[in-house]
Amino acid sequence: MGAITTKGRKLHEIEHVPYEQAFLIGDLFTSNITMLAGEPKAGKTNFAAGMSAAPLKGADEFLGFPVLRLCRHIIFGLTDDGAEGELREQLHGAVPRDSVTVFPVEDTSQPGYWQGVHDDLLTLTADLVVLDNVLGALGDGEDVASSVTARNTIDKLKPISKSGTPVLAVTHTPKGKASQKGGQRCSKPVSKPPPQA
């Protein structure tokens, strides 16, 4: 017997989770783990800050999507140098005072690091955790482009979401071979339209 026979379930057999509980922001931001990926300097941090601020401010919507759950306290785990100052500039005065806690994510390869983060979150009662960014939280030898690394990262964050705290993980998209050479972004040449007669 295979996985379908032993673990497969019909749709009506799956526990019903109301739409309002499945998402923080409808069809955009789940109440489990949401991955936000993009190229470096594409504006991921700005987008994550805006998306996180909407439930803190009590907004009705974010970019046309309904805000379904409000947040009182969000925790940002930041890996980039200077990220704390940038986040402060983005959110200071835009969200309620003391509604955001920031901590540096470092030395993540130490045994028990993520368990300690999870334990702290239970004490602090956060409504959302933002990890910005996954690349800076990887251990030695881990590659952001590896499916094994992706699985390990999700496994580290899963206890946080399983305890009821949604997670937004910001990550870089891996650079392809074509984009690493001389700034080329396409893997095949773009053909020019035929000249007009």
Side-chain angles (χ1 to χ4, degrees):
M1 293 215 167
I4 298 172
T5 307
T6 58
K7 295 186 178 184
R9 294 182 288 169
K10 301 290 186 190
L11 199 56
H12 69 274
E13 297 172 320
I14 298 170
E15 177 188 355
H16 171 67
V17 177
Y19 183 79
E20 294 77 14
Q21 292 177 19
F23 290 91
L24 267 74
I25 299 175
D27 294 336
L28 183 65
F29 194 169
T30 74
S31 57
N32 291 307
I33 299 174
T34 301
M35 299 295 287
L36 174 60
E39 294 182 358
K41 304 299 181 192
K44 298 179 300 296
T45 296
N46 288 339
F47 190 79
M51 192 162 51
S52 303
L56 272 178
K57 295 189 298 188
D60 292 330
E61 64 177 38
F62 175 73
L63 299 178
F65 295 94
V67 176
L68 302 171
R69 290 170 54 184
L70 300 180
C71 294
R72 295 175 310 282
H73 186 209
I74 295 179
I75 296 182
F76 277 81
L78 303 175
T79 64
D80 292 344
D81 291 337
E84 295 95 342
E86 292 173 16
L87 186 65
R88 183 188 190 284
E89 291 305 309
Q90 291 167 330
L91 296 180
H92 183 70
V95 297
R97 185 182 173 107
D98 297 330
S99 62
V100 175
T101 299
V102 177
F103 76 100
V105 176
E106 50 196 13
D107 301 325
T108 59
S109 57
Q110 289 182 356
Y113 179 87
W114 288 106
Q115 182 61 48
V117 169
H118 177 258
D119 294 345
D120 286 347
L121 290 170
L122 293 177
T123 304
L124 296 170
T125 61
D127 298 306
L128 170 64
V129 172
V130 180
L131 172 60
D132 186 12
N133 66 53
V134 169
L135 184 62
L138 298 180
D140 293 336
E142 290 186 301
D143 178 8
V144 73
S146 163
S147 60
V148 172
T149 299
R151 179 78 261 155
N152 288 341
T153 300
I154 295 296
D155 287 346
K156 291 170 186 172
L157 298 174
K158 205 177 269 186
I160 297 169
S161 68
K162 291 254 186 213
S163 66
T165 304
V167 176
L168 173 61
V170 180
T171 188
H172 293 295
T173 51
K175 292 181 180 178
K177 291 178 184 173
S179 66
Q180 292 175 351
K181 290 185 179 178
Q184 296 292 323
R185 303 196 57 80
C186 298
S187 58
K188 60 181 182 179
V190 177
S191 61
K192 294 181 180 178
Q196 297 289 329

